[in-house]
Amino acid sequence: METLLIIDFGSQYNQLIARRVRESKVFCEIVPPTITADEIRAKNVKGVILSGGPASVYEKNAPKLNPDFLKLGVPVLGICYGMQALSHLLGGEVRRAKRREYGHAELFLHVKRGELFHGVPKRWVSWMSHGDYVSRLPQGFFKTAYTSSTVVAAFENTQRKIYGVQFHPEVLHSEYGAHVIRNFLFPVCGFHRSWTMKNFIKETVSKTRHKVGNQRVILGLSGGVDSSVAAALLSKAVGKQLICIFVNNGLLRKGEENEVRRAFMGKFNLNLRIVNAEKIFLQKLKGVTDPERKRKIIGHEFIYVFQREAKKIKGAKFLGQGTLYPDVIESRSAFGGPTAVIKSHHNVGGLPEKMDMKLVEPLRELFKDEARALGYTLGLPKSLIGRHPFPGPGLAVRILGEITRERLEILREADVRFIEEIRSAGLYDKIWQAFAVLLPVKSVGVMGDERTYDNTIALRAVTSVDGMTADWFHFPKEVLAKISNRIINEVKGVNRVVYDVSSKPPATIEWE
């Protein structure tokens, strides 16, 4: 497969670079600067992008650019720190700016604009984020752009196919940034638009069959997007050799188990085992109110129940997981050390060590939106693939206080009416995540001329791109009124509904 490599120098925008490349139907990987030239040669690499990063090229521990990367015979594009690293390596000069340039900056193209800027206007708004700048060009390079604060905002050596931009073309704030990236991918690198879901399915099925052979694969199917798409793809690859275990822990949304049955039974060539473990989970959670204790108990019990069921399956040598590419990136240091890891993910390690099984992760190269697109291509229903995110601990983190069957039932009934009204109003796909929360608060009310002392439901709905930041969704007041009216009138035990209007940050999306 034709591949573009993104050398990770620690930029917060690395995933954006990858997304812009993938959107152009070109496959790419994010790799640390410690990757060797021989490792690159082993791949079908047709271009390299050097990312930005927080370091200065003169710092003692600044990530270094391997000079062998420039001997590979493929085009190289340096972005921000990547441009400075190129200049520093090739004999140019990088200096600390008297005034940091951050945010919008008007970009002016030089008379000799070069290959990267073909087809774009002479001046447009770019996005800057740097404290250093290239003050003197390396020999053989010419300037292609500048701003009022940055004397060299872009350079290139057309003969050597080496390019650099000080701005960030990957962010939407750079008006023609996507155009610049496409110029690098196609006229410069000569990529074909071969990264499609159909090609991905064909290649992944072939790889999986070769890896698994005639062995069985076990997969924990939660009903979420990632595990569902992984199940569908593995089913296509190995058929009945795939055994999916669905653990109903009693903390799921209303109708979750039936939804999974409808999506997979009779439509996909796999074995589905459903384990009803509600009783054991509720016993373990009895009297527990601390959210962290809830999470640990649920995680521990899931592993216990899953392992117990898995032991009944003879000849299973592989464990399937719905690991996505962001999980892999965020669980790995950019520079090969432990200090820069953003967070560890449950899918990246964990169960395999305890179960003595080999991993098979068919979605490991995909972003979330690509996984959804794959799910549609494989024939999974929109009701499953288009669902809002749902937390691993389930409704346990949406019930503040103790978890009981009665409280779970109240929350499920409130939540399903909330979602029904959102769908009815045509707003579901405009919202990143929407759900109800049961508060540990009772208040006085009046229903049917009688005093009540019942529960409070909080509603949460947010807009977001990636879940890292979020803003509360501005409902039309008539929609909120209808939702509140339905919940109070139809859900026994609720007499008050409130709406959460906090953003992330400072709040989180989930309440616990």
Side-chain angles (χ1 to χ4, degrees):
M1 182 186 298
E2 293 182 339
T3 301
L4 178 126
L5 286 189
I6 300 167
I7 308 297
D8 175 12
F9 286 130
S11 171
Q12 61 180 314
Y13 300 132
N14 281 338
Q15 289 194 38
L16 279 181
I17 300 173
R19 292 180 69 82
R20 297 293 168 263
V21 173
R22 297 273 185 97
E23 287 167 1
S24 298
K25 292 185 170 58
V26 171
F27 179 71
C28 66
E29 290 183 59
I30 299 174
V31 297
T34 51
I35 189 172
T36 66
D38 286 341
E39 288 173 324
I40 294 177
R41 290 189 187 98
K43 304 172 182 285
N44 184 18
V45 175
K46 297 188 67 172
V48 173
I49 290 180
L50 311 174
S51 85
S56 168
V57 293
Y58 296 114
E59 290 177 3
K60 183 179 179 180
N61 296 319
K64 305 297 182 185
L65 171 58
N66 186 340
D68 290 342
F69 293 173
L70 305 183
K71 301 174 185 177
L72 295 168
V74 300
V76 176
L77 169 63
I79 296 175
C80 197
Y81 179 86
M83 174 185 177
Q84 295 162 17
L86 281 169
S87 178
H88 183 59
L89 177 68
L90 297 172
E93 186 177 64
V94 177
R95 287 185 180 177
R96 172 66 65 180
K98 292 181 180 179
R99 183 171 63 88
R100 186 183 180 198
E101 190 173 37
Y102 180 83
H104 294 95
E106 191 166 18
L107 189 79
F108 300 91
L109 297 190
H110 199 266
V111 175
K112 193 175 181 181
R113 62 169 58 192
E115 294 179 304
L116 281 186
F117 297 107
H118 181 73
V120 302
K122 294 180 179 178
R123 53 192 291 183
W124 42 279
V125 174
S126 65
W127 182 263
M128 294 285 190
S129 180
H130 64 101
D132 292 355
Y133 71 101
V134 174
S135 57
R136 189 183 71 240
L137 294 170
Q139 187 175 357
F141 283 74
F142 62 90
K143 179 170 73 174
T144 54
Y146 59 94
T147 71
S148 59
S149 301
T150 303
V151 63
V152 181
F155 65 39
E156 65 183 66
N157 183 318
T158 307
Q159 186 176 2
R160 296 183 65 182
K161 296 291 184 183
I162 300 175
Y163 310 81
V165 293
Q166 187 59 67
F167 63 94
H168 287 271
E170 68 273 22
V171 303
L172 295 176
H173 305 79
S174 291
E175 283 184 302
Y176 291 89
H179 194 118
V180 169
I181 290 175
R182 286 194 296 269
N183 279 346
F184 179 70
L185 295 175
F186 302 114
V188 174
C189 295
F191 278 101
H192 300 90
R193 298 178 185 271
S194 57
W195 175 246
T196 64
M197 285 302 104
K198 287 185 178 179
N199 287 343
F200 175 78
I201 291 170
K202 183 178 179 181
E203 185 165 324
T204 304
V205 165
S206 176
K207 285 181 180 178
T208 303
R209 286 174 179 167
H210 178 74
K211 181 176 183 176
V212 171
N214 61 359
Q215 303 294 333
R216 285 183 167 184
V217 181
I218 299 175
L219 181 137
L221 181 59
S222 68
V225 174
D226 305 346
S227 68
S228 296
V229 175
L233 185 53
L234 287 172
S235 167
K236 190 173 183 66
V238 300
K240 290 289 186 180
Q241 292 169 235
L242 174 65
I243 297 95
C244 292
I245 299 174
F246 178 87
V247 178
N248 187 341
N249 58 12
L251 306 171
L252 305 176
R253 290 168 287 195
K254 186 174 182 178
E256 194 102 40
E257 182 179 315
N258 290 333
E259 178 111 30
V260 170
R261 287 182 188 275
R262 284 195 300 269
F264 286 96
M265 297 298 280
K267 296 182 181 179
F268 292 91
N269 189 26
L270 53 78
N271 289 302
L272 177 60
R273 299 190 180 189
I274 294 177
V275 182
N276 191 333
E278 178 184 22
K279 186 176 181 179
I280 187 172
F281 275 86
L282 292 185
Q283 282 176 346
K284 295 290 183 179
L285 289 167
K286 186 175 182 180
V288 177
T289 58
D290 179 74
E292 278 307 303
R293 278 199 65 205
K294 287 180 187 177
R295 289 177 182 275
K296 288 178 181 178
I297 289 169
I298 293 165
H300 180 271
E301 288 307 312
F302 175 81
I303 291 174
Y304 170 76
V305 172
F306 186 86
Q307 286 182 315
R308 185 184 62 189
E309 192 67 23
K311 285 179 181 177
K312 300 175 184 177
I313 301 167
K314 305 299 181 183
K317 301 294 184 183
F318 290 88
L319 179 72
Q321 288 189 343
T323 309
L324 295 180
Y325 199 38
D327 301 338
V328 178
I329 297 168
E330 292 177 355
S331 297
R332 177 180 67 199
S333 164
F335 311 127
T339 56
V341 174
I342 298 171
K343 57 182 175 180
S344 61
H345 286 259
H346 66 279
N347 277 349
V348 186
L351 277 177
E353 291 182 9
K354 298 181 180 182
M355 298 182 67
D356 191 27
M357 300 175 76
K358 296 177 183 177
L359 270 181
V360 55
E361 300 170 302
L363 312 183
R364 192 179 175 87
E365 297 174 337
L366 300 184
F367 288 100
K368 188 76 169 188
D369 59 327
E370 292 172 326
R372 290 186 191 276
L374 175 60
Y376 291 128
T377 304
L378 289 167
L380 286 168
K382 184 178 180 181
S383 60
L384 191 69
I385 296 304
R387 297 176 88 182
H388 291 170
F390 188 63
L395 298 180
V397 293
R398 294 178 180 176
I399 293 179
L400 277 60
E402 186 179 5
I403 311 297
T404 65
R405 278 193 176 87
E406 180 186 11
R407 300 191 81 207
L408 282 163
E409 188 62 21
I410 289 171
L411 181 58
R412 283 195 188 98
E413 293 301 325
D415 187 74
V416 76
R417 284 159 177 78
F418 185 25
I419 300 303
E420 283 174 358
E421 290 305 321
I422 290 174
R423 289 189 183 279
S424 177
L427 300 173
Y428 188 82
D429 292 334
K430 296 179 181 179
I431 297 171
W432 168 268
Q433 201 168 354
F435 54 90
V437 179
L438 180 58
L439 303 184
V441 174
K442 287 191 174 184
S443 63
V444 174
V446 178
M447 300 180 76
D449 294 328
E450 293 184 359
R451 178 186 183 274
T452 62
Y453 189 62
D454 278 331
N455 294 284
T456 302
I457 288 288
L459 304 178
R460 180 76 159 141
V462 298
T463 57
S464 180
V465 174
D466 53 14
M468 300 299 291
T469 61
D471 193 16
W472 59 280
F473 183 76
H474 294 244
F475 277 107
K477 61 181 182 181
E478 60 272 15
V479 175
L480 269 182
K482 189 174 181 182
I483 294 166
S484 174
N485 188 60
R486 277 201 66 191
I487 291 173
I488 290 172
N489 280 282
E490 298 176 20
V491 181
K492 187 178 180 180
V494 177
N495 68 355
R496 193 175 300 272
V497 173
V498 298
Y499 186 50
D500 181 349
V501 293
S502 49
S503 61
K504 176 187 178 181
T508 54
I509 295 178
E510 297 288 345
W511 276 50
E512 287 192 342

